[in-house]
Amino acid sequence: MFDELKPREVWGDASDYAAGAVGHTTDTLSVRDNIQWLLHNRAASIKVGVQTIITRSNIAAFPGLVEQLGGFGVDYISVSHLYPYYRSMMHEAAYTLISAESLALLEELEQLEICGRLEISPDEKGGIRAGTSGPESTKAYEDILRRADARNISLNLPLYLLIRDKAPLFHEVETIFLQARETASRYDLELMLPEVYASKDSRKCPYIDRNAAVIRSDGEVAPCFSYLYPHTTYLNLHERPCAMHTFGNINLQRFTDIWLSQGYASFRQSMQNMNENIAWCGDCRFIAHNCFFAGEGRRDCLVNEPFCAECPYSLNLTRCLL
């Protein structure tokens, strides 16, 4: 089963190989043997767990991995969706950042066969607008828009039209997670699974939730590992720079002074209620269409800094080992 978890397909071009998107291989027999050795030689008080990443290519092999690790006697498995750092990874993600609330209404449009009649065009602000052809389509479309507005739900139609063909994949993930839970229960194995469809109203930062910070090797203190270094992400089917963001350096200040500094304390206070204070990009129709804030990558459209408005960790889609 370890061998089956190797990616079957690579998305991208030669530049992704050069950047390191692929080519990092692991001797799966050594991993298996090391786990078995550790389980055989551990002290009784030590728990042994495995973290694995779910992708479009390896999801079918996941129940077999749970079966195998359960048979070994592993105590827990922590599972995360993929966080795409390279363009080649973008289509390997087996989830969407469209919220569950918004996705339900968008799928209703699909069932009414309205999406096929939607006309997407640029608007005067550089974003997009959607309209329908035909009075019946327009009436049904406007009804759904009113319901969305009443519940303060945004509909990211452009993104939905790009990812709707992945609906069977999302349903497959649901089914496979159910199978994996049943297998884990037979082995008394703790299985920590990510969400398949996440609610925008249940966002919370795992680092804020656990009063955690990250200290870089040179002493810089970041609110989470995403801000340790500048890098690029490929969420919501678009490229976005992610700027480095730190609050101080332990070689120059005491950690407690950094932790209690006005900037860091203010950041944590805002993040305590992400649903009220932090924008959410997954449901925003502008995110992949010339959004200034996504292009800048430093602050969101509510001027919060750093940019946490597109974080799949806050929705328990991708998971940290905290």
Side-chain angles (χ1 to χ4, degrees), residues 57-68:
S57 293
N58 70 21
I59 183 64
F62 179 60
L65 178 69
V66 176
E67 182 80 44
Q68 189 174 53

PDB file of all heavy atoms in Angstrom, residues 57-68:
ATOM      1  N   SER A  57      -4.430  11.670  -6.808  1.00  0.00           N
ATOM      2  CA  SER A  57      -3.812  10.461  -7.339  1.00  0.00           C
ATOM      3  C   SER A  57      -3.774   9.303  -6.357  1.00  0.00           C
ATOM      4  O   SER A  57      -3.786   8.142  -6.765  1.00  0.00           O
ATOM      5  CB  SER A  57      -2.375  10.761  -7.810  1.00  0.00           C
ATOM      6  OG  SER A  57      -2.371  11.622  -8.918  1.00  0.00           O
ATOM      7  N   ASN A  58      -3.705   9.605  -5.052  1.00  0.00           N
ATOM      8  CA  ASN A  58      -3.514   8.494  -4.111  1.00  0.00           C
ATOM      9  C   ASN A  58      -4.731   8.168  -3.260  1.00  0.00           C
ATOM     10  O   ASN A  58      -4.680   7.255  -2.433  1.00  0.00           O
ATOM     11  CB  ASN A  58      -2.293   8.760  -3.212  1.00  0.00           C
ATOM     12  CG  ASN A  58      -2.511   9.887  -2.212  1.00  0.00           C
ATOM     13  OD1 ASN A  58      -3.629  10.266  -1.876  1.00  0.00           O
ATOM     14  ND2 ASN A  58      -1.412  10.462  -1.722  1.00  0.00           N
ATOM     15  N   ILE A  59      -5.828   8.901  -3.419  1.00  0.00           N
ATOM     16  CA  ILE A  59      -6.983   8.721  -2.528  1.00  0.00           C
ATOM     17  C   ILE A  59      -7.524   7.293  -2.561  1.00  0.00           C
ATOM     18  O   ILE A  59      -7.935   6.757  -1.537  1.00  0.00           O
ATOM     19  CB  ILE A  59      -8.102   9.755  -2.864  1.00  0.00           C
ATOM     20  CG1 ILE A  59      -9.275   9.626  -1.889  1.00  0.00           C
ATOM     21  CG2 ILE A  59      -8.576   9.625  -4.290  1.00  0.00           C
ATOM     22  CD1 ILE A  59      -8.951   9.944  -0.471  1.00  0.00           C
ATOM     23  N   ALA A  60      -7.499   6.651  -3.723  1.00  0.00           N
ATOM     24  CA  ALA A  60      -8.062   5.302  -3.827  1.00  0.00           C
ATOM     25  C   ALA A  60      -7.289   4.299  -2.976  1.00  0.00           C
ATOM     26  O   ALA A  60      -7.848   3.282  -2.528  1.00  0.00           O
ATOM     27  CB  ALA A  60      -8.084   4.852  -5.288  1.00  0.00           C
ATOM     28  N   ALA A  61      -5.998   4.558  -2.732  1.00  0.00           N
ATOM     29  CA  ALA A  61      -5.171   3.639  -1.957  1.00  0.00           C
ATOM     30  C   ALA A  61      -5.268   3.876  -0.452  1.00  0.00           C
ATOM     31  O   ALA A  61      -4.729   3.087   0.329  1.00  0.00           O
ATOM     32  CB  ALA A  61      -3.711   3.768  -2.394  1.00  0.00           C
ATOM     33  N   PHE A  62      -5.974   4.926  -0.039  1.00  0.00           N
ATOM     34  CA  PHE A  62      -5.975   5.302   1.373  1.00  0.00           C
ATOM     35  C   PHE A  62      -6.575   4.239   2.292  1.00  0.00           C
ATOM     36  O   PHE A  62      -5.991   3.943   3.342  1.00  0.00           O
ATOM     37  CB  PHE A  62      -6.687   6.638   1.555  1.00  0.00           C
ATOM     38  CG  PHE A  62      -6.760   7.096   2.986  1.00  0.00           C
ATOM     39  CD1 PHE A  62      -5.603   7.310   3.718  1.00  0.00           C
ATOM     40  CD2 PHE A  62      -7.983   7.295   3.609  1.00  0.00           C
ATOM     41  CE1 PHE A  62      -5.660   7.722   5.042  1.00  0.00           C
ATOM     42  CE2 PHE A  62      -8.045   7.697   4.925  1.00  0.00           C
ATOM     43  CZ  PHE A  62      -6.888   7.914   5.639  1.00  0.00           C
ATOM     44  N   PRO A  63      -7.736   3.618   1.977  1.00  0.00           N
ATOM     45  CA  PRO A  63      -8.259   2.587   2.884  1.00  0.00           C
ATOM     46  C   PRO A  63      -7.273   1.437   3.094  1.00  0.00           C
ATOM     47  O   PRO A  63      -7.168   0.901   4.200  1.00  0.00           O
ATOM     48  CB  PRO A  63      -9.525   2.105   2.165  1.00  0.00           C
ATOM     49  CG  PRO A  63      -9.945   3.256   1.317  1.00  0.00           C
ATOM     50  CD  PRO A  63      -8.661   3.862   0.854  1.00  0.00           C
ATOM     51  N   GLY A  64      -6.526   1.072   2.042  1.00  0.00           N
ATOM     52  CA  GLY A  64      -5.520   0.027   2.187  1.00  0.00           C
ATOM     53  C   GLY A  64      -4.393   0.437   3.116  1.00  0.00           C
ATOM     54  O   GLY A  64      -3.859  -0.389   3.869  1.00  0.00           O
ATOM     55  N   LEU A  65      -4.016   1.717   3.083  1.00  0.00           N
ATOM     56  CA  LEU A  65      -2.985   2.214   3.995  1.00  0.00           C
ATOM     57  C   LEU A  65      -3.463   2.125   5.438  1.00  0.00           C
ATOM     58  O   LEU A  65      -2.707   1.720   6.325  1.00  0.00           O
ATOM     59  CB  LEU A  65      -2.636   3.660   3.646  1.00  0.00           C
ATOM     60  CG  LEU A  65      -1.593   4.314   4.553  1.00  0.00           C
ATOM     61  CD1 LEU A  65      -0.221   3.692   4.336  1.00  0.00           C
ATOM     62  CD2 LEU A  65      -1.532   5.818   4.326  1.00  0.00           C
ATOM     63  N   VAL A  66      -4.725   2.503   5.678  1.00  0.00           N
ATOM     64  CA  VAL A  66      -5.279   2.413   7.032  1.00  0.00           C
ATOM     65  C   VAL A  66      -5.292   0.957   7.502  1.00  0.00           C
ATOM     66  O   VAL A  66      -4.934   0.646   8.642  1.00  0.00           O
ATOM     67  CB  VAL A  66      -6.702   3.006   7.075  1.00  0.00           C
ATOM     68  CG1 VAL A  66      -7.319   2.833   8.463  1.00  0.00           C
ATOM     69  CG2 VAL A  66      -6.674   4.482   6.698  1.00  0.00           C
ATOM     70  N   GLU A  67      -5.672   0.064   6.619  1.00  0.00           N
ATOM     71  CA  GLU A  67      -5.685  -1.370   6.938  1.00  0.00           C
ATOM     72  C   GLU A  67      -4.277  -1.845   7.304  1.00  0.00           C
ATOM     73  O   GLU A  67      -4.081  -2.562   8.295  1.00  0.00           O
ATOM     74  CB  GLU A  67      -6.205  -2.155   5.738  1.00  0.00           C
ATOM     75  CG  GLU A  67      -6.309  -3.653   5.950  1.00  0.00           C
ATOM     76  CD  GLU A  67      -7.549  -4.068   6.723  1.00  0.00           C
ATOM     77  OE1 GLU A  67      -8.636  -3.539   6.428  1.00  0.00           O
ATOM     78  OE2 GLU A  67      -7.412  -4.910   7.650  1.00  0.00           O
ATOM     79  N   GLN A  68      -3.303  -1.446   6.518  1.00  0.00           N
ATOM     80  CA  GLN A  68      -1.932  -1.888   6.748  1.00  0.00           C
ATOM     81  C   GLN A  68      -1.367  -1.322   8.044  1.00  0.00           C
ATOM     82  O   GLN A  68      -0.794  -2.064   8.860  1.00  0.00           O
ATOM     83  CB  GLN A  68      -1.062  -1.469   5.569  1.00  0.00           C
ATOM     84  CG  GLN A  68       0.342  -2.065   5.590  1.00  0.00           C
ATOM     85  CD  GLN A  68       1.118  -1.738   4.345  1.00  0.00           C
ATOM     86  OE1 GLN A  68       1.235  -0.568   3.983  1.00  0.00           O
ATOM     87  NE2 GLN A  68       1.659  -2.750   3.674  1.00  0.00           N
TER      88      GLN A  68
END
